Amino acid sequence: MGLDNLLNHVSTINKKYENIEAVTGEAFNIFKILRMETREVNTHSAFIAELLNPAGTHGQKDVFLKLFIRVFNIPGFRNMGTIATKVKVEDVFTNGRIDIVIKPKNTREIVIENKIYAGDMDEQLVRYKKCYPDCYLMYLTLNGKEPSAASTTDGDSGVVLIKDIDYSTKSYKEDVLKWLMQCRKEATAHPILRETLTQYINLIKHLTNQTMSDQAKEEIVLAILKHPDNIESAENIFNAWIDVKFKIIEMLKSRIVSDGYIRNSLGLLVEVDKRYDRLGPKSSSFWFHRPNWKYCISFYFGIDFDQFVVGISPLIANHPENLILEKSLNDNLSIIGRNTNYPGWTWVTDYDIWSATDWKNMIDVLPSEITKTLETIIKIIDVKGINLEL
């Protein structure tokens, strides 16, 4: 009963603050409404680069750039002249494209590899360092994780980039949030800019699991500390949370696999990746296809639990590349987004509905949303006459 009482108490606290959010409008977020929250290029890189640009539409000249250099503690830039700095998103070079490049007039570049959920590509940071040998290279992720060995190792020479010498790791959870908070202070006299920054700050808090207000958190902590048994109950809840996620995904899988509508109305077979004991871990997936297709519509976990993508990939491993099909799919399915970080897929995009849905609502929301997504893709394939039998 101690565990039940604690859960009920925490639920009451959460509902109280959800009601406060509803009254104050704090729950309203334009990025989430438009399902733009996980788009690395069109949302995060574009927004950050615009703030960093002294010629940006924010009208604050190099104020935000100077704050960025100070908060991120970038060596060698403190006393530089920043007003003439150029900032570029998606900087294309011979061996790829870089998310953000900051080009001061009289000193080395700042190169940012911006990762929300996408995985690393082979020699990715190595290639950036070859393009800008003297740059300050930043690997920016939600929680400050390390890049993969494949990204930091030169396949030809075997040379490995060294952290804090060749590159640094930074996080949205701490570094970006701290910077944005300071930017918002500078924008106090500019209401539209200030509130836009607030919206983006709230989005980052959502993506990094920091949405709980300080007041709500304090009440929950006091509730836990009120009785010694509550501390043990809270620890048990914490330890069980991963298994709760697995259970929710397992219930989703059961709903989706048993859905006769998908088979009968859309004419699709459904399969689940048998290499994994359960869905949820990185690279686990389920997919849909018609009996004669050589390709399938696949739903795939790019990162454990957090990143979910939908795309069209070959049913058979090592299937020959089909550039004509790939172009046709990307031209016609671009209305629902695109992600370029999955080599071998003919078309793929982040499934933003996943990240926008709270875990408490997954079972009620996701099965119907997946069906809608399948209907949209199937309609485009059929109307445009796209041949997946090749």
Side-chain angles (χ1 to χ4, degrees):
M1 288 303 295
L3 184 60
D4 286 343
N5 287 335
L6 179 60
L7 287 170
N8 287 333
H9 195 161
V10 171
S11 178
T12 300
I13 293 170
N14 285 338
K15 286 177 182 176
K16 180 176 78 172
Y17 284 95
E18 283 175 2
N19 290 335
I20 292 172
E21 280 187 349
V23 171
T24 60
E26 289 181 28
F28 181 88
N29 190 282
I30 192 66
F31 297 101
K32 292 175 68 175
I33 292 167
L34 297 178
R35 292 178 176 172
M36 298 168 59
E37 59 261 57
T38 62
R39 303 207 178 278
E40 290 172 355
V41 176
N42 295 331
T43 299
H44 297 281
S45 291
F47 192 88
I48 288 170
E50 184 68 12
L51 291 178
L52 293 172
N53 187 359
T57 54
H58 48 73
Q60 305 308 296
K61 298 185 179 179
D62 59 350
V63 170
F64 298 151
L65 177 56
K66 286 180 176 177
L67 286 173
F68 180 84
I69 290 166
R70 185 165 70 243
V71 170
F72 281 75
N73 194 28
I74 301 176
F77 290 85
R78 285 294 181 90
N79 299 316
M80 71 177 222
T82 51
I83 196 67
T85 298
K86 305 294 183 184
V87 181
K88 189 170 184 181
V89 182
E90 289 283 273
D91 185 40
V92 179
F93 65 105
T94 305
N95 294 315
R97 61 185 66 198
I98 301 171
D99 293 325
I100 302 173
V101 179
I102 303 167
K103 299 181 177 182
K105 189 174 183 180
N106 299 315
T107 188
R108 62 184 178 144
E109 304 84 5
I110 301 171
V111 171
I112 302 174
E113 172 56 17
N114 189 22
K115 296 286 189 188
I116 300 302
Y117 290 130
D120 291 340
M121 300 179 73
D122 288 353
E123 299 185 358
Q124 192 167 20
L125 295 188
V126 171
R127 286 183 279 115
Y128 297 172
K129 200 68 175 176
K130 286 181 178 179
C131 182
Y132 292 103
D134 193 40
C135 74
Y136 177 84
L137 179 56
M138 181 188 302
Y139 187 75
L140 177 61
T141 63
L142 288 178
N143 297 301
K145 72 172 186 176
E146 299 291 328
S148 67
S151 177
T152 57
T153 304
D154 189 323
D156 294 328
S157 67
V159 172
V160 179
L161 298 184
I162 301 172
K163 183 181 176 182
D164 297 330
I165 295 177
D166 299 308
Y167 70 92
S168 68
T169 56
K170 302 292 182 181
S171 74
Y172 277 85
K173 186 173 184 177
E174 295 182 4
D175 304 294
V176 171
L177 266 182
K178 183 178 179 181
W179 170 59
L180 290 171
M181 296 288 195
Q182 294 195 19
C183 290
R184 185 169 62 180
K185 285 182 181 178
E186 293 293 332
T188 302
H190 306 275
I192 293 176
L193 177 58
R194 182 190 67 229
E195 294 311 314
T196 303
L197 284 165
T198 297
Q199 291 268 299
Y200 189 62
I201 286 168
N202 289 342
L203 172 62
I204 299 307
K205 287 182 176 180
H206 167 72
L207 292 174
T208 55
N209 299 311
Q210 299 180 84
T211 53
M212 187 182 296
S213 71
D214 291 337
Q215 296 96 322
K217 196 179 297 183
E218 179 68 12
E219 281 198 42
I220 291 172
V221 168
L222 291 175
I224 292 171
L225 295 177
K226 195 171 183 179
H227 195 281
D229 289 345
N230 286 350
I231 298 174
E232 184 178 356
S233 296
E235 184 179 12
N236 290 337
I237 293 168
F238 176 80
N239 291 335
W241 177 232
I242 295 296
D243 291 310
V244 170
K245 288 183 176 180
F246 273 126
K247 190 63 177 179
I248 290 171
I249 294 173
E250 185 64 27
M251 294 167 73
L252 282 173
K253 183 188 80 172
S254 298
R255 288 271 299 274
I256 293 162
V257 170
S258 64
D259 190 344
Y261 173 81
I262 293 172
R263 289 191 296 276
N264 299 329
S265 177
L266 300 181
L268 297 176
L269 304 174
V270 58
E271 296 183 47
V272 179
D273 197 333
K274 293 182 174 60
R275 295 174 302 165
Y276 296 83
D277 292 336
R278 46 189 177 178
L279 288 175
K282 184 178 187 293
S283 300
S284 62
S285 62
F286 56 92
W287 57 89
F288 304 84
H289 62 95
R290 286 175 176 163
N292 53 340
W293 280 3
K294 299 293 189 300
Y295 297 83
C296 61
I297 303 170
S298 182
F299 290 82
Y300 173 92
F301 288 92
I303 295 176
D304 293 355
F305 301 119
D306 292 327
Q307 188 198 22
F308 201 41
V309 301
V310 58
I312 294 179
S313 63
L315 269 168
I316 304 168
N318 301 317
H319 191 74
E321 188 176 40
N322 188 322
L323 296 178
I324 295 174
L325 177 60
E326 183 175 340
K327 184 178 187 308
S328 178
L329 288 168
N330 283 298
D331 287 347
N332 288 290
L333 291 173
S334 60
I335 58 168
I336 45 179
R338 187 181 177 191
N339 185 325
T340 59
N341 291 300
Y342 287 85
W345 293 60
T346 53
W347 170 81
V348 65
T349 187
D350 292 307
Y351 200 55
D352 292 336
I353 299 164
W354 177 267
S355 56
T357 304
D358 292 333
W359 281 96
K360 65 180 180 181
N361 299 324
M362 283 288 185
I363 298 168
D364 294 328
V365 171
L366 261 294
S368 61
E369 289 294 340
I370 287 171
T371 300
K372 288 177 189 175
T373 301
L374 289 169
E375 287 176 326
T376 300
I377 294 173
I378 291 293
K379 183 177 180 180
I380 292 171
I381 287 171
D382 288 345
V383 169
K384 298 292 182 179
I386 298 172
N387 187 2
L388 295 184
E389 299 177 24
L390 297 173

